[in-house]
Amino acid sequence: MTRVLRPIGGFGVLNPDSKHPLKVLYCGVCSLPTEYCEYMPEPAKCRQWLEKNFPDVFARMTVGSAANTPKLETGTGEPTPVAEEEEKKKQKRGGRGQIKQKKKTVPQKVTIARIPRAKKKYVTRVCGLATFDIELKEAQRFFAQKFSCGASVTAEDEIIIQGDFTDDIIDVIQEKWPEVDDDSIDDLGEVKK
C-alpha cells in the first residue's frame, strides 16, 4: 500500500517544489527561523532586523501577512502607534520577579521564651535573630551543638530548642554574635504556645 502526500500547507507535509537540502534563514535577534519570529516576545525587533539585513525576504514575507499584522510603516522602519502600544503592554524579560522588595523596618529585638511541653519538660523559643542578619540555619546548628540537644528552624524567624536553656542562651548569643547587645534581648519567661 502506498500513500500519497499532498501539499496542504503546514508543518510536516512534503512540498514538491522544495529543493533539498533546505536553506533556512535564522533571525539575528531571536535565533529562530524567520517564519517563527512572530511567536517571540518582541516580533517588531525581529521584523526590523529582517527588513534591514534581508529586504527581499522581508518583502516576500510581508506580502501575505501585511493584511493581518501591519505593525511597521514601510520604508521608515519605525513602529506604528499600535506596535508601540503592544510593546508597552508586554512584560519585559525578568519582569516583576527582579524587583527587589523593600525590607520592612522591623525593630532589632531578640525574644526568648520558655514553652511548656508534657509534665516538667520545656522548649526554648528564640525569635528575632534574622533582624540582625544572622543565618538561622547556622544559629540552629550552633545551638544544637552547644546545648547537645535538638533544635530546629520552625518559622520565618523562629528557632525552637529542646530543653529549658533560657538562663544560658542570653550569654551564648552575646558571645557568638557580639552585634546583639544586652538591651536588644528580651526574656519573656514562660509563655503558652
Side-chain angles (χ1 to χ4, degrees):
M1 182 170 170
T2 59
R3 291 182 111 168
V4 177
L5 294 176
R6 294 187 182 106
I8 298 172
F11 188 75
V13 178
L14 295 176
N15 188 354
D17 299 333
S18 64
K19 298 175 187 168
H20 292 282
L22 295 176
K23 291 183 180 178
V24 180
L25 177 63
Y26 290 94
C27 178
V29 176
C30 66
S31 71
L32 289 177
T34 53
E35 57 265 14
Y36 294 108
C37 288
E38 64 184 289
Y39 303 110
M40 292 306 292
E42 297 177 350
K45 287 185 179 181
C46 295
R47 278 197 282 298
Q48 287 174 352
W49 177 85
L50 188 64
E51 183 180 27
K52 180 182 174 188
N53 295 312
F54 298 96
D56 56 328
V57 176
F58 178 76
R60 277 187 285 153
M61 288 183 76
T62 55
V63 169
S65 65
N68 298 340
T69 56
K71 294 187 178 168
L72 291 178
E73 292 179 7
T74 52
T76 61
E78 295 180 16
T80 61
V82 174
E84 288 176 7
E85 223 173 273
E86 281 186 21
E87 190 70 26
K88 288 179 186 175
K89 286 181 185 176
K90 287 189 179 178
Q91 183 176 352
K92 298 291 182 197
R93 194 166 200 175
R96 294 179 185 230
Q98 298 295 331
I99 298 171
K100 291 184 179 178
Q101 298 293 329
K102 292 181 182 177
K103 286 191 175 182
K104 297 176 183 174
T105 55
V106 178
Q108 290 187 328
K109 197 109 180 125
V110 176
T111 58
I112 299 167
R114 185 174 79 165
I115 302 171
R117 274 187 12 184
K119 297 184 183 177
K120 294 182 180 180
K121 298 185 186 251
Y122 294 95
V123 292
T124 305
R125 181 180 67 193
V126 180
C127 296
L129 288 175
T131 59
F132 289 94
D133 295 327
I134 296 171
E135 187 67 38
L136 292 179
K137 278 290 189 185
E138 179 187 321
Q140 172 252 322
R141 278 188 236 112
F142 174 74
F143 290 143
Q145 187 176 18
K146 180 75 174 175
F147 299 121
S148 299
C149 64
S152 62
V153 178
T154 56
E156 190 174 301
D157 190 14
E158 179 181 83
I159 298 175
I160 298 290
I161 305 166
Q162 294 177 2
D164 182 10
F165 300 105
T166 52
D167 300 333
D168 304 330
I169 202 156
I170 295 172
D171 298 329
V172 170
I173 289 173
Q174 289 176 340
E175 190 178 302
K176 174 75 174 168
W177 297 286
E179 65 266 18
V180 182
D181 59 338
D182 196 31
D183 297 331
S184 60
I185 297 178
D186 198 14
D187 188 0
L188 302 177
E190 190 170 319
V191 177
K192 300 271 187 198
K193 206 168 195 181

